[in-house]
């Protein structure tokens, strides 16, 4: 039996939205190896704003989403 892929809940409205935000977080983690936390967070915020331009992901810039992303990326 194939196990469903577990996706972190970033408070997006759909699993696809959570998956898209998770891609940003994973890329941000890679950036942390060369950039400062401030640079990485600025990059992530830009990416979330770009994602939010799509109607189906408009909540990507909601405070709840950004707080979870910041926690997963900067605080952990």
């Amino acid at each position: 039996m194939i196990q469903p892929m577990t996706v972190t809940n970033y408070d997006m409205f759909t699993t696809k939205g959570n998956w898209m935000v998770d891609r940003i977080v994973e890329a941000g983690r890679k950036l942390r190896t060369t950039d400062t936390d401030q640079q990485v967070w600025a990059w992530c915020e830009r990416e979330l704003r770009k994602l939010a331009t799509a109607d189906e992901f408009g909540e990507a810039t909601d405070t709840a989403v950004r707080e979870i992303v910041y926690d997963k990326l900067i605080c952990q």
Side-chain angles (χ1 to χ4, degrees):
M1 184 167 138
I2 297 174
Q3 295 294 325
M5 189 171 97
T6 303
V7 178
T8 301
N9 181 7
Y10 292 98
D11 219 22
M12 295 290 285
F13 297 152
T14 64
T15 299
K16 185 177 178 183
N18 283 321
W19 184 78
M20 295 295 287
V21 172
D22 194 58
R23 291 181 62 198
I24 293 170
V25 171
E26 289 304 314
R29 285 186 175 142
K30 290 178 184 173
L31 287 175
R32 286 188 78 193
T33 62
T34 58
D35 295 347
T36 66
D37 286 350
Q38 185 177 14
Q39 291 169 316
V40 172
W41 179 241
W43 179 85
C44 281
E45 284 193 305
R46 280 192 305 274
E47 294 302 307
L48 290 171
R49 281 194 300 272
K50 285 194 255 181
L51 182 60
T53 63
D55 289 338
E56 66 181 313
F57 306 123
E59 71 277 14
T61 55
D62 288 358
T63 301
V65 175
R66 288 183 293 117
E67 286 178 349
I68 296 167
V69 169
Y70 186 87
D71 183 58
K72 294 278 184 195
L73 185 62
I74 305 299
C75 297
Q76 292 185 358

